[in-house]
Amino acid sequence: MNRIPASHRIDQEISEHLDRKHGGELLHELGQSSLVKLIAELVEREVSEFLGRGYYERRDGEEDHRGYRNGVRKRTFKGSEGSVKVPIPRVRETP
C-alpha cells in the first residue's frame, strides 16, 4: 500500500494522461483529474490543520489528542463534465 497522500497519486495519474491521451479525450481527463486533485488537496490541508500535524507526522506528547487519520473513502461529486470520485481522508477519535 502506498503511503503517500492521495493528491500525490493524482499527480502521477495526470502525468500518465499526458503521456497516453490526445485531443478532446485528454482535455476531459485532465479536467476531471485536476478537479479531483484540487478537492483532495483542500480536504487534506483542512485535516492537517485540524489535527495539528502533517501526513504521517506524530504528535508531541504535550499536544492534545485531536484524533488520527484512518485511511480514505471515495465520495462522488457531480459536475458539468460528469461525476468524479474524490478520495476523502477519514479521521477517527475526534473530540
Side-chain angles (χ1 to χ4, degrees):
M1 183 167 160
N2 294 337
R3 291 189 172 192
I4 59 173
S7 59
H8 292 287
R9 284 193 294 270
I10 296 166
D11 280 338
Q12 293 169 350
E13 289 175 15
I14 290 172
S15 295
E16 290 172 9
H17 291 313
L18 290 173
D19 292 339
R20 293 185 278 129
K21 310 278 180 169
H22 303 287
E25 186 179 338
L26 173 64
L27 291 176
H28 177 74
E29 294 289 330
L30 283 176
Q32 284 192 329
S33 294
S34 298
L35 177 63
V36 170
K37 182 177 186 297
L38 175 68
I39 295 171
E41 282 181 341
L42 291 173
V43 175
E44 287 171 6
R45 185 177 302 153
E46 186 175 343
V47 168
S48 292
E49 287 178 15
F50 174 76
L51 294 176
R53 59 188 182 274
Y55 195 77
Y56 271 93
E57 284 183 20
R58 295 187 181 269
R59 67 182 176 97
D60 294 334
E62 302 162 1
E63 293 179 15
D64 291 336
H65 179 68
R66 293 184 175 180
Y68 60 92
R69 288 177 173 84
N70 188 17
V72 295
R73 65 177 185 253
K74 297 275 184 159
R75 292 290 186 198
T76 302
F77 290 88
K78 294 180 182 178
S80 60
E81 288 291 317
S83 56
V84 293
K85 292 191 177 193
V86 179
I88 304 295
R90 285 188 279 184
V91 180
R92 301 286 189 218
E93 293 187 14
T94 59

